[in-house]
Amino acid sequence: MLDGITRRITRAQVAIARATLIPLLVKVGIALSFVAAVVVAWPQAVVQSQYALVPMAVAIYPAFAPRGRGPTFVVLTVVGGWVADTSYYDDPVQLWRVIAIGTLLYLGHTLAALAAVLPFDGVVNLDVVLRWMTRAGIVVLISAVLTVITLGLAGVLGGGAFVVATVAGLAAAVGATLLLARLLRRPGH
């Protein structure tokens, strides 16, 4: 058992010594995005207490292990904190918080996807990360504009028409996801 721990420590030391700047900065971006999402979403009473260590540890974890379910677990943790803040703590739903949480979660998630394919010791051109972040910025901007428009329409439409439109939109999103999953499973793809 002690031999196994010694091997892991040695591997970690080698990995740290071989790490290059760009993959390291991408992982720092993951941690910063997810930690900021926790700070914005969670109740301030929790964020300013000793209990903040748990959601902060969850937020930082994907920076060390971007592959797997870590980013998804962070998203669920952040959303759970926001639901607790807006329901149990009765904080009002504010547009800036909704947009900030969505933006930070998307940035953390997309950076985790990038970090998952970047070798920690790879020499990566900065243009790769800048193009990745430019595309992410475009997605965030379009999402923010559509969020504001949708919330404006919700106030105008209200009632049953808005519920029908919401259910139709969710059904279209589920249908598109199922179609993409099916196309990706086809042989030759």
Side-chain angles (χ1 to χ4, degrees), residues 2-4 8 67 76 109 111 114 183:
L2 187 58
D3 187 41
R8 286 185 183 153
R67 292 184 181 114
L76 294 173
H109 198 272
L111 285 172
L114 179 60
L183 289 174

Side-chain angles (χ1 to χ4, degrees), residues 32-189:
L32 290 176
S33 297
F34 283 152
V35 165
V38 167
V39 169
V40 171
W42 276 65
Q44 290 305 304
V46 175
V47 170
Q48 296 172 355
S49 72
Q50 71 271 18
Y51 301 113
L53 293 176
V54 173
M56 293 301 172
V58 169
I60 292 171
Y61 174 72
F64 294 100
R67 292 184 181 114
R69 304 284 183 229
T72 302
F73 191 66
V74 173
V75 169
L76 294 173
T77 301
V78 168
V79 170
W82 183 73
V83 168
D85 190 41
T86 56
S87 59
Y88 181 74
Y89 287 86
D90 288 329
D91 264 4
V93 175
Q94 298 169 334
L95 180 61
W96 75 268
R97 284 182 71 199
V98 172
I99 291 174
I101 292 168
T103 298
L104 293 166
L105 288 178
Y106 180 75
L107 289 177
H109 198 272
T110 193
L111 285 172
L114 179 60
V117 296
L118 287 180
F120 67 90
D121 59 350
V123 177
V124 180
N125 192 343
L126 186 59
D127 289 346
V128 171
V129 177
L130 291 177
R131 281 194 306 258
W132 189 278
M133 293 308 296
T134 300
R135 288 185 188 124
I138 291 168
V139 169
V140 165
L141 180 64
I142 291 170
S143 297
V145 168
L146 289 176
T147 299
V148 171
I149 290 170
T150 303
L151 289 176
L153 287 175
V156 172
L157 293 177
F162 189 70
V163 171
V164 169
T166 301
V167 170
L170 287 172
V174 168
T177 302
L178 292 173
L179 176 65
L180 287 173
R182 182 177 176 166
L183 289 174
L184 290 174
R185 280 192 230 151
R186 287 181 35 198
H189 287 93

Side-chain angles (χ1 to χ4, degrees), residues 14-24 27 115 117-124:
V14 169
I16 290 170
R18 291 179 52 192
T20 57
L21 182 62
I22 300 298
L24 181 65
K27 290 183 177 200
V117 296
L118 287 180
F120 67 90
D121 59 350
V123 177
V124 180

